[in-house]
Amino acid sequence: MSETSTTKASTAKTGAPRAPAERARLSFDLDVDIAVVGAGLAGLTVALEAAKLGASVAVLEGRHVGWNASGHQLGTVMPGYGLPISDLIARVGFEDTSELWALSKEGAEFVRATATEELIPGIAPSEGALEVSNVDVGDQLISRLQMLGEDFETEVEGWQVDRVRAELNTDHYFHGVYYPKAFQIDGRKYVHGLAALARRAGARIFEDTPVVSIDPSGIRKRIVTPSARLRASHIVLAGNVHLGATLRRLSETLLPVWRYGAVTAPLGERLAETIAFRGSVADSDGIDHFRVVDGDRLMWASPETTWAARPERFAPVIQRRIRTIFPSLGKVEISETWGGAVGQTVHGMPQIGQLRRGLWVASGFGRQGLNTSAMAGQLIARSILWGDERWRLFSPFELVWAGGTTGRIAGHAIGLWGRGSAAAAGALARYRERVRTQERVREARLAEANRQAGTRPPSRRPPPGRPRPERPQPPAPANLGGGEGAS
Ligand SMILES: Cc1cc2nc3c(=O)[nH]c(=O)nc-3n(C[C@H](O)[C@H](O)[C@H](O)COP(=O)(O)OP(=O)(O)OC[C@H]3O[C@@H](n4cnc5c(N)ncnc54)[C@H](O)[C@@H]3O)c2cc1C
């Protein structure tokens, strides 16, 4: 698999902090309580939490901290999961959905408490995220708001089309759901901040240390790396889609999806005139996700593939997306592109739990990994050290084979189809809106013409039982000829 890269056309303030030139590699045998495979968001949160609770922890990372998705995300922290809440209720019922939802909020709160300027300097937290609809579905929005607000105790506001369009100058979006308690951070700084905090709590992080094989049998489990062995009572597999041959049957339950992002050059005043909203914006079809950064740059993620590609290939695609949604911005210059592979499960929920005694998994966080990986890290550390059993809420979401190469091809086709049908639905919604607007203009013109002519449009038949209103009688024609009956 090719390494996910970042390409810069010029220096952007949003650039990822460079990994230290000297990376500590595991070169001696070691015994610990907990060994974590993978130094992404999930592995580092497990390490931080377990070390804080007093365990001896070693993290083994094949490349370097945050080189994949965890160091290339947009930093939006929302409650919930990639799977829509209605699907979750259909799958596990209302009670369990309610608990799962509460856990997802705890994950977001963990990030909020960790991503502070005191703990991670430069993390730049800011409030509010907006989910916008590509189609005109105001009635569905109301029931969703009721469910989130009343049943799941999540602070949400429904925004009418006018409010959305006052903040985002585009006719592509209709209604919106505003989450005032969602927030965003510098996502790249966060993963390196987590690593620093885990180290400070006592965890040891070894980079350039790929795990070659695992023997999970016995009380003390064994891990082999190229230059050393490690023994641990618990192993946490947080390798996402890159676990590969180490545990082939587990890694084959994830469909790898590469998502690409970019940041524009400074856009000056025209950006503020087009986008007044300062939080994150995502459309409900999961296609575009963006926000304003550094005052006048736009950070945008959208294209996806089911194979690793060079991120710079997608600069023109992102340019086109920006122009399609916000034509008033014109053609924007792209300063930097990047990409990362997320692991998509067949059921859409993350993989969290104990596979066999002492062997844990925290993976499959898809596009929404900040709150969910934080939640997984806390849950697993507390399960191991405190006997917290809430990870069992994830048991209905089994490890389902993602289909291998065929699954990737199907995944790509389904992704294209989903984007195509979302675009078609959006175009239809905008067409209907145009027709409605034209009708309103026509009616207004007709009413004005009638007013000037002193007539009214023909009234509709009154409801049964109601007296028909008296029609005003047209004035009697003037008797120009001086005939009979004229006064
Ligand atoms: C462009 C983009 C934007 C995103 N935006 C957001 C967002 O705004 N909000 C949000 O919530 N989510 C977002 N996400 C999703 C989020 O980034 C991921 O869900 C999350 O980072 C997954 O974390 P992870 O720790 O599971 O995986 P990873 O970051 O992939 O970490 C896994 C690590 O395990 C290591 N590893 C694997 N196998 C081995 C082995 N055998 N030996 C040693 N090490 C191994 C890998 O090298 C890797 O470093 C975005 C993703 C992308 C790509």
Side-chain angles (χ1 to χ4, degrees):
M1 242 170 234
S2 80
E3 173 146 0
T4 308
S5 58
T6 299
T7 311
K8 281 189 184 189
S10 67
T11 312
K13 268 199 245 166
T14 46
R18 294 275 154 255
E22 285 280 310
R23 293 185 194 134
R25 179 178 301 185
L26 183 65
S27 53
F28 48 89
D29 289 355
L30 191 64
D31 263 49
V32 289
D33 297 328
I34 302 173
V36 180
V37 182
L41 291 173
L44 291 169
T45 314
V46 176
L48 171 60
E49 281 301 280
K52 281 202 300 200
L53 296 179
S56 63
V57 183
V59 181
L60 306 176
E61 165 55 50
R63 297 191 187 184
H64 56 86
V65 168
W67 71 272
N68 185 37
S70 298
H72 294 92
Q73 27 89 13
L74 264 57
T76 307
V77 188
M78 305 271 296
Y81 301 88
L83 191 68
I85 202 163
S86 47
D87 294 6
L88 206 47
I89 296 173
R91 178 95 197 223
V92 298
F94 183 81
E95 293 296 314
D96 281 4
T97 301
S98 179
E99 287 196 49
L100 284 165
W101 191 264
L103 282 176
S104 81
K105 284 180 21 184
E106 278 180 35
E109 284 314 309
F110 173 93
V111 182
R112 186 185 283 280
T114 311
T116 60
E117 287 293 342
E118 295 75 49
L119 293 175
I120 307 179
I123 193 77
S126 63
E127 300 291 323
L130 183 63
E131 189 186 307
V132 286
S133 172
N134 283 322
V135 289
D136 195 358
V137 284
D139 43 344
Q140 285 176 26
L141 179 84
I142 291 167
S143 61
R144 180 129 175 273
L145 284 172
Q146 272 170 347
M147 183 155 72
L148 284 171
E150 290 165 22
D151 300 333
F152 293 95
E153 293 170 10
T154 301
E155 237 180 87
V156 276
E157 284 172 20
W159 282 14
Q160 295 298 334
V161 184
D162 293 349
R163 175 92 193 265
V164 169
R165 292 184 181 178
E167 298 281 336
L168 307 170
N169 182 11
T170 175
D171 65 357
H172 268 257
Y173 299 140
F174 291 83
H175 299 86
V177 178
Y178 176 60
Y179 295 80
K181 290 280 168 67
F183 57 101
Q184 41 276 315
I185 51 178
D186 184 324
R188 301 169 180 198
K189 287 212 171 103
Y190 181 63
V191 70
H192 292 277
L194 267 184
L197 292 172
R199 282 193 185 101
R200 213 179 297 160
R204 301 168 80 176
I205 301 173
F206 299 99
E207 297 176 282
D208 287 337
T209 304
V211 169
V212 179
S213 70
I214 293 175
D215 176 4
S217 56
I219 304 281
R220 299 291 287 165
K221 289 142 197 352
R222 291 156 204 275
I223 288 181
V224 177
T225 73
S227 35
R229 286 163 193 272
L230 189 139
R231 293 196 319 161
S233 305
H234 294 268
I235 297 176
V236 183
L237 303 167
N240 190 8
V241 296
H242 295 97
L243 204 54
T246 320
L247 273 176
R248 173 84 49 210
R249 283 186 61 193
L250 177 60
S251 53
E252 285 189 344
T253 59
L254 288 181
L255 175 72
V257 176
W258 279 261
R259 190 162 168 85
Y260 304 91
V263 69
T264 67
L267 300 176
E269 277 302 303
R270 65 184 161 141
L271 186 58
E273 283 156 16
T274 308
I275 302 178
F277 187 69
R278 290 290 132 158
S280 297
V281 182
D283 66 68
S284 45
D285 294 314
I287 296 174
D288 295 304
H289 177 189
F290 58 87
R291 68 186 169 101
V292 174
V293 292
D294 299 341
D296 65 348
R297 292 175 191 266
L298 194 50
M299 184 156 66
W300 194 289
S302 181
E304 289 183 350
T305 57
T306 51
W307 62 89
R310 282 182 298 118
E312 61 269 28
R313 269 185 50 193
F314 296 94
V317 180
I318 293 176
Q319 261 175 341
R320 275 200 300 276
R321 278 312 293 167
I322 295 176
R323 201 172 183 168
T324 302
I325 305 290
F326 295 112
S328 56
L329 285 178
K331 191 173 178 186
V332 296
E333 190 192 324
I334 300 290
S335 286
E336 188 188 346
T337 51
W338 62 83
V342 300
Q344 210 71 54
T345 56
V346 170
H347 41 64
M349 285 292 279
Q351 302 168 331
I352 298 171
Q354 191 168 207
L355 300 175
R356 58 186 292 172
R357 205 176 153 78
L359 184 65
W360 301 82
V361 61
S363 237
F365 299 104
R367 296 192 200 113
Q368 194 168 339
L370 270 159
N371 69 318
T372 51
S373 66
M375 168 199 71
Q378 273 187 310
L379 266 184
I380 291 178
R382 289 176 186 182
S383 304
I384 294 174
L385 296 155
W386 286 355
D388 184 338
E389 292 281 292
R390 285 179 302 165
W391 62 267
R392 291 188 190 281
L393 283 163
F394 290 86
S395 302
F397 306 102
E398 291 148 5
L399 301 175
V400 186
W401 185 56
T405 313
T406 323
R408 285 194 191 197
I409 295 165
H412 184 65
I414 291 167
L416 286 181
W417 177 81
R419 281 166 179 253
S421 57
L428 186 63
R430 291 194 298 282
Y431 167 77
R432 286 195 182 125
E433 187 185 40
R434 271 199 306 278
V435 169
R436 273 200 304 272
T437 309
Q438 280 164 3
E439 251 165 32
R440 274 201 296 272
V441 170
R442 229 189 344 260
E443 272 169 20
R445 281 203 192 122
L446 188 65
E448 178 57 19
N450 282 327
R451 193 188 61 75
Q452 284 182 11
T455 58
R456 280 195 186 172
S459 65
R460 294 211 175 93
R461 190 183 281 275
R466 229 195 252 172
R468 188 179 272 270
E470 276 206 2
R471 277 196 186 193
Q473 294 303 307
N479 191 344
L480 299 176
E484 252 184 43
S487 57

